[in-house]
Amino acid sequence: MSGESGETSVAPPPGEVEPGSGVRIVVEYCEPCGFEATYLELASAVKEQYPGIEIESRLGGTGAFEIEINGQLVFSKLENGGFPYEKDLIEAIRRASTGEPLEKITNSRPPCVIL
């Protein structure tokens, strides 16, 4: 090791596939809306569960928080009005990694509202 700090990754044993490898997620979010923190929180939870997953972020339009798995839109804040639950996204990733058909995530937690 070079002594540099940062993320460490433990490779799976030979012959085993790292969980989530082959699955690609793209999250498009509205940065001026303050959604970057939500993206980072979600990305961290996903990486913890599926270290081999590829996650890309893109800046989106006003109010956007859209998630694609392998090119298929699975969640849209513009349609649902809230953010996805981590457990629902983890389940969608599991399905994608096993080759099962993806279904759109329709459950959403409400966005934070300051009164």
Side-chain angles (χ1 to χ4, degrees), residues 5-111:
S5 62
E7 285 189 40
T8 58
S9 149
V10 177
E16 284 188 33
V17 176
E18 192 168 30
S21 60
V23 176
R24 183 167 185 267
I25 296 180
V26 175
V27 180
E28 183 178 305
Y29 64 89
C30 173
E31 187 178 38
C33 301
F35 297 164
E36 183 176 21
T38 303
Y39 160 72
L40 292 172
E41 180 183 313
L42 204 59
S44 175
V46 166
K47 279 289 209 182
E48 188 175 303
Q49 190 80 23
Y50 292 101
I53 204 155
E54 182 184 342
I55 303 176
E56 177 187 333
S57 66
R58 293 185 191 149
L59 299 182
T62 301
F65 198 89
E66 317 299 290
I67 302 173
E68 291 180 1
I69 297 179
N70 294 341
Q72 181 179 334
L73 183 67
V74 295
F75 182 83
S76 171
K77 181 181 179 300
L78 297 174
E79 292 175 10
N80 293 326
F83 295 100
Y85 289 101
E86 288 176 9
K87 65 177 180 57
D88 292 334
L89 183 56
I90 296 293
E91 173 60 17
I93 294 166
R94 184 199 65 75
R95 291 176 68 90
S97 67
T98 60
E100 295 176 52
L102 294 174
E103 296 175 7
K104 211 158 198 185
I105 298 170
T106 55
N107 289 334
S108 65
R109 54 189 165 108

